[in-house]
Amino acid sequence: MASYKLRRRKTKYTQMLLRDFSIETSLEPTQNVMVCNAGLVSGVKYEEVTKLFTKFGSVQNIVMIPKKSYCFVVYSSIDEAAKAYDSINGKEKLIIMDSPLYLLYSLSVPSGFGLPESQPLPEGLVLLNDFVTEEEEKQLLNCINWNTEGQEEKGKILKHRRVKHFGYEFRYDINNVDKDSPLEEAIPSECDFIGERLAKLGHPLAWSPDQLTVNQYQRGQGIPSHIDTHSAFESPILSLSLGSDVVMEFRRGERHVPVLLPRRSLLIMGGESRYVWSHGITPRTMDVVTVAGGL
């Protein structure tokens, strides 16, 4: 009986795919895995599909189609797709689902529904990968004491993140810096090399930094989209990512450019990216990004 029901399901989704996109399924393994009973219409998200299917190989693309109850996972090789098929089909299920996932191989996948192609960076935005070494990263993280007693400026817990200031406090109640009230804690000396390294890489600063804001994000936290106060900070603004990768979203009118900030990279926001584009980090537990050769 179970085998009969499975055959009926496969026939149903084979006919559905042929009707919707004129794409045929395959009895032989291909790189394209159709997830028959998990799609946007059933509340399934990119993150959930990515987390499960990347366990079995390099995923090139995930195709999720509006108003459809199925989706597609495209692997780099047929062997990886076959491994996922054998491990998941009729066995694994997503958290929001009561029944296991049912899979089929397809000869191709619908076009125009994959992950967005990378876009040009906003004008004035520069990303320097591997700006600090792993050892320097450890030193920088260790120099931030979040629980120091008796200090004027302690780590503060905001709604979406934890914050600590050095040099001057950025006051969120007035959205500005009180330049007449410097903090006891200056920027840690562990940061002194940053300006010199920027100059060596061809990005010299016209000023010496005197204010540092450290944002600590836990999994699922972020920061609302904003433009840093013009009167409080010079241009450019530097953002050093430590501990993990993250996607920062840049927006200007209808334009939206997600930028992957790799761990230990330095982002330089100058020009339009500093004064015209807003930037923020969407609170979520996983980012799905397109990279060379896959996800």
Side-chain angles (χ1 to χ4, degrees):
M1 180 64 70
S3 178
Y4 172 71
K5 288 184 178 180
L6 182 58
R7 287 199 302 271
R8 285 191 60 185
R9 285 194 181 98
K10 289 186 175 182
T11 299
K12 171 186 174 182
Y13 285 104
T14 295
Q15 294 174 346
M16 185 182 297
L17 183 59
L18 192 61
R19 180 196 66 208
D20 291 347
F21 295 101
S22 299
I23 293 176
E24 296 182 354
T25 57
S26 172
L27 296 177
E28 297 297 321
T30 71
Q31 292 175 246
N32 312 308
V33 177
M34 178 183 182
V35 188
C36 299
N37 56 332
L40 292 176
V41 76
S42 53
V44 174
K45 299 179 180 179
Y46 280 112
E47 293 89 343
E48 297 168 308
V49 177
T50 302
K51 184 176 181 180
L52 175 59
F53 282 83
T54 51
K55 292 179 181 179
F56 304 99
S58 174
V59 173
Q60 287 190 331
N61 200 4
I62 292 177
V63 179
M64 302 192 76
I65 306 166
K67 300 181 181 180
K68 297 298 180 184
S69 59
Y70 52 84
C71 66
F72 298 84
V73 179
V74 182
Y75 280 94
S76 298
S77 70
I78 293 177
D79 288 343
E80 291 170 319
K83 182 180 178 182
Y85 185 98
D86 293 339
S87 302
I88 296 174
N89 187 38
K91 304 171 186 176
E92 296 280 350
K93 61 182 181 181
L94 300 177
I95 295 177
I96 67 169
M97 300 180 63
D98 296 325
S99 59
L101 296 171
Y102 295 103
L103 310 180
L104 288 171
Y105 295 112
S106 63
L107 296 181
S108 61
V109 299
S111 60
F113 299 98
L115 295 172
E117 297 294 329
S118 59
Q119 304 179 52
L121 295 180
E123 186 276 328
L125 194 67
V126 177
L127 181 62
L128 303 177
N129 290 319
D130 297 315
F131 183 79
V132 298
T133 65
E134 291 186 11
E135 183 59 33
E136 289 168 338
E137 178 187 43
K138 291 179 183 178
Q139 293 174 358
L140 290 168
L141 290 172
N142 289 335
C143 78
I144 308 299
N145 189 342
W146 293 96
N147 299 304
T148 301
E149 294 295 333
Q151 295 289 344
E152 181 179 349
E153 172 63 12
K154 301 176 183 178
K156 296 183 178 180
I157 299 177
L158 302 182
K159 182 178 180 181
H160 300 288
R161 65 196 188 281
R162 199 177 186 189
V163 174
K164 186 175 177 66
H165 298 113
F166 295 89
Y168 293 88
E169 178 185 5
F170 184 81
R171 292 182 51 186
Y172 298 98
D173 56 339
I174 61 173
N175 203 34
N176 211 329
V177 169
D178 185 354
K179 298 180 181 179
D180 296 324
S181 301
L183 298 173
E184 291 183 4
E185 286 188 277
I187 297 177
S189 59
E190 287 84 351
C191 301
D192 290 348
F193 72 93
I194 292 177
E196 182 179 349
R197 185 164 299 171
L198 276 170
K200 288 182 178 179
L201 294 174
H203 301 281
L205 298 175
W207 40 263
S208 297
D210 59 2
Q211 198 277 342
L212 170 65
T213 297
V214 180
N215 291 303
Q216 184 187 67
Y217 302 96
Q218 299 296 331
R219 185 180 178 90
Q221 293 183 327
I223 184 171
S225 187
H226 65 284
I227 297 177
D228 291 300
T229 306
H230 292 189
S231 59
F233 306 108
E234 299 286 347
S235 179
I237 288 178
L238 309 178
S239 178
L240 183 62
S241 298
L242 304 175
S244 68
D245 301 350
V246 72
V247 171
M248 183 171 283
E249 317 271 351
F250 284 82
R251 300 180 185 275
R252 180 183 182 183
E254 297 298 319
R255 293 188 62 189
H256 170 220
V257 180
V259 179
L260 174 64
L261 307 182
R263 179 179 178 178
R264 301 193 305 278
S265 68
L266 182 76
L267 187 70
I268 305 174
M269 288 186 283
E272 290 186 359
S273 70
R274 159 72 175 97
Y275 293 113
V276 181
W277 290 72
S278 66
H279 60 277
I281 298 173
T282 302
R284 52 190 169 216
T285 58
M286 181 184 295
D287 289 309
V288 181
V289 297
T290 303
V291 297
L295 297 180

